[in-house]
Structure formats: structure tokens, C-alpha cells
Amino acid sequence: MPIQVPKALPDRVTRLAQVRKTPFLTIDKKMVLRKLDQFQKAMPDARIFYALKANPHWRIAKMLAGRTGFEIASEEELDLLLRCRVSPQRIISSNPLKSPSFIKAAHAAGVKYFAFDSPDEVEKLSEFAPGSNVYVRLSVSNEGSRWPLAGKFGVETAEAVELLTRASRGPLVPCGITFHVGSQCTNEMLWVSAIEKSRLVWNAVEREGVNLWMLNIGGGFPIEYIESIPPFDQIAAVITETLRREFPTGVEIFVEPGRAVVGEAGILVSSVIATARRNGENWLYLDVGVFNGLMESIGGFRYSMTADRDGPVHKWVVAGPSCDSLDVISNGVELPELQIGDKVYISSAGAYTTAYASRFNGFLIPKTYFV
Ligand SMILES: Cc1ncc(COP(=O)(O)O)c(C=O)c1O
């Protein structure tokens, strides 16, 4: 089991913890901008589209508007970006299964790029977004990703060629290929094999007389939780080298990071609401849990947790506040002896936390404060 190293907590966050009701999320604005900058530097030839689903807080959208593009899937996400004055030319939708009403609204707003992976979607896009640039979602290996996205999306090579060719016969402009290696992907070879697979589709489509110009390499870039991850620069270098080899010239590269832009900027601040000893184990109950913020723990995510009290550490089973037994965040968490009201700080909580949270059982979704 990986060793949990307590994180140093920024003063701004611990000060807020003294005056604000928990649970709440803090987002370090400067860190979000630094992460974006890191992407831009490591992949200077790529156009970045922040996957808004990772954290759709309007202040993040506003902060990134004018600096980057956005990837969206719903009318609510579209409305938010339009309210933040994001140009529709900077918005794309890579969900290959979209509702007709969303396609209509996005098309009417001026969004020009849409993914697809079925004949039905070609029909819908032809009817509701004629003239759009469309890109096929290729099925690629997600082996080695903590939160796989395979199965529900994507087609194999032959079908991808058929769908792009079909799209070229309608009022659409087939422009490229996309894939997603799965979220929190720690195996950079998945991007390599996905790019190579895209090249095969690209060549086959060209033989059918359809010329593509865009490759969208999706998201999936990992962030630091407890387990060690390959350094970002290493992943970016492997991807860049593979792109230069497989797609040497004249191809626009899109990239859609979500987690890697906002994840490490977030610290979730919670309070201990109860402790118990059950079947020889120490249980620690927090006011945040699986349903109101830490949904990804059911996919095996393990967060680094730090308390504001010192002392010899125990191993705890850490659970959320609801009446559901699924609401267990983590086993074997090393924390000192804690009392009701003590604060527990959960690191790397900026992505897919408040975005996923529900008010199940009446527990509040954490508010977000920007520090
Ligand atoms: C189409 C698409 N693009 C990008 C992302 C962002 O992925 P990540 O947060 O792993 O970077 C997702 C996540 O679900 C996605 O579905």
C-alpha cells in the first residue's frame, strides 16, 4: 500500500477553515493558470480545450476564457461559457452522443466542432448542425487508467473509416479523429498506441478520398494523489515525439485536459463528525463523502488526507456522512487521533468532486472558495 505523506497546507486554506462552515473546496487560482501554462509550454503546437466537466465553476470558466478553448457536452455548459463571453469558436463538443436539443443550441450559438461514433449521430448532426466539422471517436485501450472511459464510446478502425466516409456524403465536413485513453492515465504508451491507431484510420480514409486535418488526443493526463505518476513533461514528450513521427505536417492537434488543469489546485476541507471502533477497525466519519464530493473514491481513487492535529498516527477507515454503506472513502488512511470538529484536508480535489456531487440525504455540496 502506498505511503501517505501529509501535505503542507497553505495558510490561506487553514485560515478559511477557522471561519467557514465545512465542507468546502478551495481552488488555488494561480495554480490553475500555472497548469494551463505548463500544457501550453509542453505542447506548443496543440490547441487546448479545457474539459469543463472536470470543474464547471463559473469563476474557473471566466478565468480561462480568452486563454484557452473549452470542451463541453450540454446546454448548461454551453450557456455558462456564453455567459462568460467565451467565443463559440473556442468551444468544441467531443461527447459522441449528444441530445438533439444540445446540438441545435450549440450550432445556433456558432459551435463548429462535434464528435460522433454512430450512424445515428451522423444523421442528427446532418439535420441539426449542417456544415459542422465532425470527428470520429476511435475506440482505444484504456488499460492503465484509473477511470476508464472505454466501452461506452468509440468505434474500431473499419467502422471509423466507414463513418467518416458516410459523413463526407452529407452536409458535414469530416475533419478528424479523436480518442480518450481514460482518465488518470499513468501509462503514456496508451497515447502512443492510440496515435498509431489514428494514423491507420487516417490513411484508410484518405484512400477513400476524404482528407482530414485534425487529431484530437483527448484528456486523461494524471495528477498526483497518493500513487506516484510519471512526470507530466515525460508524458508530453512521448506524445509530442509520437505525433511528430506519425503526423509530421499539416495536422491540427487538439488536446482536452480536465483533471490536469484543476485537480491539484483543489483542497477539500471537511470536519470530523463522528468516530467509532468497529470489528477491530477505527472509523472516521467526515461531513464530506462519496455522494457530496468524493464520488471517484468508488473507482479506487485514494486521496492524500491531512489533519490539523499532531500525534501518533492510526490507520482509519474514512467514511462520509450519509446513511449509505457505499459511502466509504478510503481504508488504511494514516491520521492522528482525532476529535469531533477537527478538520481533515483532502488534497488534489479540484476535479470531478463538486462537479459530481449530489445532495443525497440532505448533505450539502461543498461551496467553492478561490484562494
Ligand atoms: C470527451 C472528453 N474529453 C476530455 C475529458 C477530460 O478528461 P481528463 O479529465 O481525464 O483530462 C473527458 C473526461 O471525461 C471526456 O469525456
Side-chain angles (χ1 to χ4, degrees):
M1 187 173 289
I3 295 166
Q4 187 181 333
V5 182
K7 294 257 158 87
L9 295 166
D11 288 348
R12 302 183 307 282
V13 176
T14 49
R15 273 201 303 271
L16 263 185
Q18 286 162 22
V19 292
R20 299 287 183 203
K21 188 170 164 16
T22 61
F24 63 82
L25 177 69
T26 59
I27 293 282
D28 179 340
K29 289 181 296 206
K30 285 199 184 128
M31 192 185 291
V32 173
L33 295 179
R34 270 206 308 278
K35 293 287 173 183
L36 188 66
D37 206 41
Q38 199 183 11
F39 257 96
Q40 271 154 352
K41 289 208 171 91
M43 298 187 190
D45 302 334
R47 281 179 70 185
I48 301 172
F49 296 86
Y50 166 58
L52 188 61
K53 69 203 82 169
N55 190 325
H57 195 288
W58 68 269
R59 283 191 64 179
I60 294 179
K62 200 143 190 145
M63 192 165 67
L64 298 184
R67 295 176 196 264
T68 184
F70 293 84
E71 190 278 319
I72 63 164
S74 66
E75 281 148 278
E76 186 157 318
E77 289 184 332
L78 176 66
D79 287 347
L80 172 74
L81 293 182
L82 297 179
R83 282 202 307 279
C84 291
R85 304 200 178 284
V86 174
S87 160
Q89 284 172 4
R90 287 176 172 250
I91 304 175
I92 64 172
S93 179
S94 298
N95 179 353
L97 307 131
K98 294 167 286 303
S99 73
S101 62
F102 168 62
I103 298 174
K104 272 189 230 170
H107 180 61
V111 175
K112 298 247 181 299
Y113 284 87
F114 298 94
F116 69 106
D117 65 1
S118 67
D120 259 10
E121 201 71 9
V122 176
E123 294 299 309
K124 272 189 285 170
L125 289 166
S126 301
E127 185 174 350
F128 302 122
S132 296
N133 300 313
V134 295
Y135 44 106
V136 76
R137 171 89 168 244
L138 195 56
S139 166
V140 299
S141 170
N142 276 205
E143 200 112 344
S145 297
R146 170 64 67 199
W147 196 267
L149 299 166
K152 184 176 172 188
F153 309 103
V155 286
E156 281 305 330
T157 314
E159 203 179 342
V161 175
E162 199 183 304
L163 285 172
L164 284 163
T165 313
R166 181 192 282 243
S168 73
R169 293 195 290 265
L172 299 171
V173 184
C175 68
I177 300 169
T178 189
F179 58 77
H180 199 300
V181 294
S183 203
Q184 186 70 6
C185 174
T186 50
N187 176 3
E188 62 262 42
M189 293 316 288
L190 293 199
W191 278 281
V192 174
S193 57
I195 294 167
E196 289 169 352
K197 192 168 177 178
S198 302
R199 182 75 240 185
L200 296 179
V201 174
W202 196 283
N203 292 346
V205 173
E206 263 179 4
R207 286 196 293 275
E208 298 295 319
V210 180
N211 290 314
L212 305 177
W213 73 85
M214 182 274 265
L215 178 68
N216 179 339
I217 63 170
F221 299 86
I223 64 168
E224 206 184 307
Y225 290 94
I226 289 186
E227 282 114 4
S228 66
I229 54 166
F232 173 74
D233 285 342
Q234 179 183 314
I235 297 178
V238 169
I239 292 175
T240 306
E241 191 196 309
T242 312
L243 286 171
R244 288 194 179 141
R245 188 179 68 236
E246 298 293 329
F247 292 91
T249 49
V251 175
E252 272 204 59
I253 304 298
F254 287 10
V255 59
E256 302 173 339
R259 186 185 303 280
V261 177
V262 288
E264 287 177 14
I267 297 176
L268 197 48
V269 184
S270 64
S271 297
V272 174
I273 58 165
T275 63
R277 188 146 173 91
R278 278 181 222 297
N279 303 323
E281 292 181 308
N282 299 307
W283 284 71
L284 186 71
Y285 299 84
L286 303 179
D287 56 6
V288 71
V290 168
F291 297 101
N292 64 340
L294 296 171
M295 222 270 264
E296 289 199 313
S297 51
I298 60 174
F301 277 79
R302 297 189 72 243
Y303 298 87
S304 166
M305 299 188 195
T306 310
D308 58 359
R309 185 183 286 279
D310 285 332
V313 294
H314 302 292
K315 284 205 168 27
W316 296 90
V317 182
V318 180
S322 75
C323 294
D324 198 306
S325 58
L326 186 80
D327 193 3
V328 177
I329 303 163
S330 229
N331 292 304
V333 180
E334 292 187 346
L335 286 168
E337 188 62 39
L338 292 174
Q339 294 171 13
I340 314 302
D342 284 350
K343 302 291 182 282
V344 173
Y345 300 84
I346 301 165
S347 300
S348 291
Y352 305 111
T353 48
T354 46
Y356 274 146
S358 86
R359 295 199 49 183
F360 171 59
N361 224 176
F363 294 101
L364 295 182
I365 295 174
K367 271 193 182 168
T368 302
Y369 298 108
F370 287 79
V371 294

